[in-house]
Amino acid sequence: MKLRFIFASLLTAVSLNSLAAYPDKSIKFLVPWPPGGATDQVARILALPLTKELGVSVFVENKGGAGGNIGTQAFLQDKADGYSMLMATSSTNAAGPHLFSNQGFDAAKDFTPVVLVCTIPNIMVVPEASPWNGMKDLISDAKQNPGKFTYGSAGIGASQHLAGAQFKTVTGLDIRHVPYKGSGPAAIDLMAGHIDMMLDTGSLNNIKAGKLKALGVAADKRIPELPNVPTMKEAGVPMVANAWYGVMLPAGAPKDVTEKLNAAFNKVLKDPEVRKSLQGIGAQVDGGSVAEFTKFSQSEIKRYEGIVKMSGAPKE
């Protein structure tokens, strides 16, 4: 009994020491998309407050390509020690398994969930110079000109791709998908008029700046940031589409490290300035426990199977 007590005490001491020591060097926050999109915006809003909370530098690194898969594959080569975090999304970690025959990782087994950060609805946006001022204009024009108009996305499997495919299914319109290597590049081409529309999660700042027009929000209700923009349902298109953003580590990450990061993120997400910044890009701020995000992320893989089927998006 005495030996058992000593052994248990030693294990507890080791665990406490590892928890106290972490973190003692900078932490990489990997975004598997190029700069400028919603995933990048969310990560950058969180990086500085996390740096202050954890006492070490938290820096954002972008590694885009293949619908978020290239960066995610690279992330999984890092040690599961908490010094490399992934800004995971519903695109890569829920929809991807149903859109790619070989995604390069197992969304159900290769990750340690940390915390659900936020959810952002897709917004139908068009260039400021577009003649369309409402969904009726867009739909009427597209019906009269099948195959003429295009919608952009951050890539195959991205939320913009699925939302656009869903929009095509619901409306019966013939519009062409143009995938990019991130929603940032897609938005740049949209503002330049090289593509005609996009159901995007990261365009709120460009809408506020007058660079894009919002025709409808794919949410159950109007969002406070765009009170005069109708929901897609109000505009005659019965659909809801959004994307979630959460933090993950590679599988096998230590529980104490995961819990410490969860506590840090939850504290940051309660900060009024952080909440204001996230809400400013249209996000609904979440947070919660490791167990809650674990259950949620696993259930989303199953839920997105139905969403992908409904969207009509082909498997790559």
Side-chain angles (χ1 to χ4, degrees):
M1 288 294 290
K2 197 170 186 179
L3 285 173
R4 286 183 187 175
F5 176 77
I6 292 171
F7 184 65
S9 298
L10 285 171
L11 285 177
T12 301
V14 169
S15 179
L16 288 174
N17 285 336
S18 67
L19 182 60
Y22 174 83
D24 61 0
K25 62 181 181 180
S26 60
I27 298 173
K28 177 173 70 177
F29 202 175
L30 190 122
V31 174
W33 306 91
T39 315
D40 181 65
Q41 292 176 47
V42 172
R44 292 183 187 278
I45 287 171
L46 296 173
L48 182 57
L50 280 170
T51 293
K52 294 177 180 177
E53 177 62 26
L54 292 169
V56 298
S57 174
V58 177
F59 65 95
V60 175
E61 181 177 302
N62 299 83
K63 192 175 185 66
N69 292 336
I70 289 177
T72 304
Q73 290 169 17
F75 161 78
L76 289 171
Q77 302 305 308
D78 294 336
K79 291 181 180 180
D81 56 5
Y83 290 100
S84 180
M85 307 184 298
L86 176 72
M87 189 80 257
T89 70
S90 49
S91 299
T92 49
N93 289 69
H98 311 296
L99 283 161
F100 295 94
S101 299
N102 182 16
Q103 198 176 12
F105 54 88
D106 189 327
K109 298 178 180 178
D110 291 344
F111 302 88
T112 299
V114 175
V115 67
L116 178 63
V117 172
C118 64
T119 305
I120 305 178
N122 289 79
I123 302 172
M124 175 62 84
V125 285
V126 299
E128 180 57 29
S130 171
W132 303 328
N133 293 309
M135 288 300 304
K136 288 184 179 179
D137 298 336
L138 186 160
I139 291 172
S140 175
D141 212 358
K143 282 184 176 179
Q144 293 175 39
N145 298 277
K148 177 181 178 181
F149 300 111
T150 54
Y151 74 95
S153 82
I156 301 296
S159 66
Q160 303 88 355
H161 174 209
L162 286 181
Q166 186 179 347
F167 177 70
K168 287 177 61 176
T169 299
V170 172
T171 60
L173 296 178
D174 179 8
I175 52 177
R176 293 178 288 116
H177 177 219
V178 181
Y180 287 79
K181 293 182 179 180
S183 58
I188 291 171
D189 262 16
L190 179 64
M191 288 185 284
H194 299 313
I195 52 176
D196 300 296
M197 68 193 85
M198 184 161 66
L199 273 153
D200 192 24
T201 56
S203 289
L204 195 54
N205 287 333
N206 287 324
I207 295 167
K208 292 177 179 177
K211 297 176 181 178
L212 293 172
K213 290 190 287 189
L215 304 187
V217 179
D220 290 318
K221 58 184 179 181
R222 297 190 184 195
I223 60 175
E225 293 73 24
L226 298 173
N228 297 321
V229 178
T231 64
M232 294 292 282
K233 185 176 181 180
E234 288 174 327
V237 183
M239 64 173 282
V240 172
N242 56 33
W244 56 257
Y245 304 82
V247 180
M248 294 191 177
L249 302 177
K255 184 178 180 181
D256 55 358
V257 169
T258 304
E259 292 291 351
K260 186 165 187 176
L261 281 175
N262 176 269
F265 272 100
N266 273 299
K267 188 172 180 179
V268 164
L269 290 172
K270 290 176 182 176
D271 181 275
E273 288 302 313
V274 173
R275 295 183 71 87
K276 182 179 179 181
S277 295
L278 288 171
Q279 290 166 352
I281 61 171
Q284 172 190 311
V285 183
D286 292 295
S289 69
V290 171
E292 288 170 336
F293 186 36
T294 299
K295 182 178 180 181
F296 172 82
S297 60
Q298 293 292 326
S299 68
E300 284 292 276
I301 296 172
K302 180 63 178 176
R303 187 174 76 89
Y304 264 85
E305 183 177 10
I307 292 175
V308 170
K309 285 182 179 178
M310 183 182 71
S311 74
K315 195 162 189 175
E316 296 294 315

